[in-house]
Amino acid sequence: MRRLLPGAAVVAVGLLPLAACRGSRPPSADVQTPPFVFRSLDLKQQDAGGRPAWQLTSPEARYDLRRRLARAEKPKGLIYAKGQPLYRLQADSGTVIGDGQAILLEGNLRVERLSKPEVLIQAARARWLPQQKLLLVDRRPEAYDQHGRLRAERARFRLDDDTLELSGAPRLDRWAQRFNPFAALPTSPPETTVQVASLSWQPGTGALVAPGPVVGERRMGGLPAGAQPQKLLAERLEGNTQLQTFSLLGAVQLEDSTRGQRFVGRDLRLDLSAQSGTTNLPFQLSEGSRRVKGTGLTVQALEGVASIASQCHVEQPGDQLNADRCQWNWRSGVVSAEGSVLLQRAANRQTSRATLLQGNLGERGSFAISAPGGRVISQFQVSGRSR
């Protein structure tokens, strides 16, 4: 056992030189010292409290005394948090520089989180700086959890606070179907893809922050082949990959050209598992010739229902509806409204006021208007006379 640094050691069994010495003459300065082959390598370090901090092992390593390099075959490592193993890593080859100041890992790099939730990070190459608790990945890293994938050109994995920072065209891909990243990665295209300027993610908690601009697409199930995906734009993105909740912050636009739907608003919270969206701010929602606006919106995509919390206004050719709050089913055209209901119809110049309304704003829509404990007031014109 040879100690390399405080709390670190390298274990070699069966030390063999690559080339035997020829004669007793000392080597000249221009003669390269042959590297040594170690039957195994075990490099460890402890933290200030004497607990294990990290470990790197290899079944075979070549040590270059002159350059102070150790080249390891099939290296495997452990990264600890508070004395407990948190991440396991492996690669095809590794180069240990000095006494472990830096470790270059190359070829099929895998970093697996050992505690829940399951997280896999893979890439072609990374530089591990154990003293700085930092893993620098510069060859297209990919990080998987049970519903998604993060991709970018580069990444910084800050091991001290369990934060992965991606840069260089980072993307967030999400699948509705849950999967185990250690067993089988998804082969189908993701339902949701979002591109951002940069991205910070904590694998342990799922917390995600991404400055914009945010540009995304979402492919809804059940659409015909060749249908255009939904488009989204926002100023920035925050969310939690474990909960599958994301907030599109700042100015937000969503567009579904297949259904002719468009949303314009601010600060929209999406729940991908429930397929719902919520905002507490003013918004505009449209489908074809229909226009809906108000303040405070909840959309349930599975039911096709939009609920407006206040200042509800629904408009289509020939009809206008205002109310304190209302609900609209954009699939059936059914509308219900409550509080200070005002219905205006171009046909017969009809105007009705009540506290409750239920009906359909279709071309030949019918309505049931009531005012429990009060009166319904309607005005309309027939043959030039009003009643």
Side-chain angles (χ1 to χ4, degrees):
M1 179 178 292
R2 177 188 174 195
R3 296 188 63 82
L4 295 181
L5 59 149
V10 62
V11 178
V13 179
L15 177 63
L16 298 175
L18 279 183
C21 297
R22 297 182 178 178
S24 59
R25 186 179 60 184
S28 60
D30 60 344
V31 176
Q32 184 176 3
T33 303
F36 290 92
V37 177
F38 290 79
R39 293 295 187 188
S40 63
L41 179 144
D42 191 352
L43 186 64
K44 300 177 181 179
Q45 187 178 37
Q46 298 175 338
D47 62 16
R51 299 172 299 186
W54 58 269
Q55 177 180 4
L56 183 71
T57 62
S58 170
E60 183 176 305
R62 300 169 184 265
Y63 192 78
D64 190 323
L65 295 173
R66 184 178 62 86
R67 300 174 61 190
R68 300 183 69 240
L69 295 177
R71 302 190 185 278
E73 298 295 328
K74 302 295 182 182
K76 295 183 179 181
L78 287 174
I79 298 172
Y80 294 80
K82 299 180 179 179
Q84 299 299 318
L86 182 59
Y87 286 98
R88 175 175 52 220
L89 56 84
Q90 65 183 51
D92 289 342
S93 64
T95 302
V96 182
I97 302 173
D99 290 337
Q101 289 89 348
I103 303 170
L104 181 64
L105 300 168
E106 296 182 283
N108 297 314
L109 172 67
R110 288 176 60 93
V111 181
E112 300 177 357
R113 185 178 178 88
L114 298 178
S115 61
K116 299 290 185 179
E118 293 88 352
V119 171
L120 168 66
I121 302 172
Q122 58 185 20
R125 185 177 72 180
R127 186 156 52 101
W128 182 15
L129 306 176
Q131 301 283 7
Q132 302 177 38
K133 299 181 180 179
L134 189 64
L135 189 68
L136 304 176
V137 188
D138 61 359
R139 294 286 180 89
R140 298 174 296 278
E142 295 183 344
Y144 291 86
D145 65 2
Q146 295 179 342
H147 277 280
R149 171 180 61 195
L150 299 175
R151 295 185 287 171
E153 296 176 4
R154 300 172 300 278
R156 288 167 49 95
F157 195 4
R158 300 205 320 262
L159 301 167
D160 55 345
D161 58 4
D162 196 27
T163 300
L164 182 67
E165 299 173 339
L166 293 99
S167 59
R171 293 179 56 174
L172 169 64
D173 299 327
R174 305 299 290 174
W175 285 265
Q177 187 67 37
R178 186 186 182 100
F179 61 90
N180 185 339
F182 299 159
L185 298 178
T187 57
S188 61
E191 284 85 6
T192 305
T193 297
V194 177
Q195 296 180 334
V196 293
S198 62
L199 190 148
S200 176
W201 180 53
Q202 294 182 326
T205 65
L208 179 147
V209 177
V214 179
V215 180
E217 293 184 349
R218 188 179 184 193
R219 293 168 176 82
M220 300 293 293
L223 293 180
Q228 293 296 315
Q230 295 178 341
K231 306 286 187 178
L232 69 87
L233 298 173
E235 295 181 22
R236 62 188 187 279
L237 173 70
E238 295 181 2
N240 189 293
T241 56
Q242 291 185 32
L243 302 177
Q244 293 202 81
T245 56
F246 299 90
S247 294
L248 299 170
L249 301 176
V252 178
Q253 293 185 36
L254 300 176
E255 186 171 353
D256 188 333
S257 59
T258 301
R259 296 187 174 99
Q261 298 171 357
R262 189 168 186 264
F263 168 89
V264 178
R266 299 184 65 86
D267 296 357
L268 179 65
R269 184 179 185 272
L270 301 176
D271 187 329
L272 298 187
S273 60
Q275 296 189 32
S276 65
T278 305
T279 179
N280 296 321
L281 300 177
F283 71 93
Q284 294 185 17
L285 184 65
S286 62
E287 182 197 31
S289 60
R290 289 195 181 100
R291 301 289 183 270
V292 180
K293 63 181 180 180
T295 299
L297 171 69
T298 299
V299 175
Q300 301 289 342
L302 293 176
E303 291 80 16
V305 173
S307 301
I308 295 91
S310 64
Q311 299 177 327
C312 171
H313 177 80
V314 181
E315 180 179 347
Q316 71 175 27
D319 298 297
Q320 289 191 33
L321 171 66
N322 292 278
D324 292 341
R325 54 197 173 274
C326 61
Q327 188 176 86
W328 173 44
N329 188 312
W330 63 78
R331 295 175 183 168
S332 64
V334 172
V335 173
S336 61
E338 297 180 4
S340 304
V341 176
L342 172 62
L343 173 65
Q344 296 174 294
R345 309 196 72 179
N348 299 324
R349 298 183 182 179
Q350 177 184 342
T351 299
S352 298
R353 299 178 184 273
T355 55
L356 294 173
L357 175 145
Q358 289 185 335
N360 191 304
L361 286 181
E363 183 178 353
R364 297 181 179 180
S366 60
F367 300 91
I369 301 176
S370 62
R375 295 185 302 168
V376 176
I377 301 176
S378 295
Q379 293 180 330
F380 55 91
Q381 181 176 329
V382 178
S383 301
R385 297 182 181 181
S386 13
R387 296 171 57 183

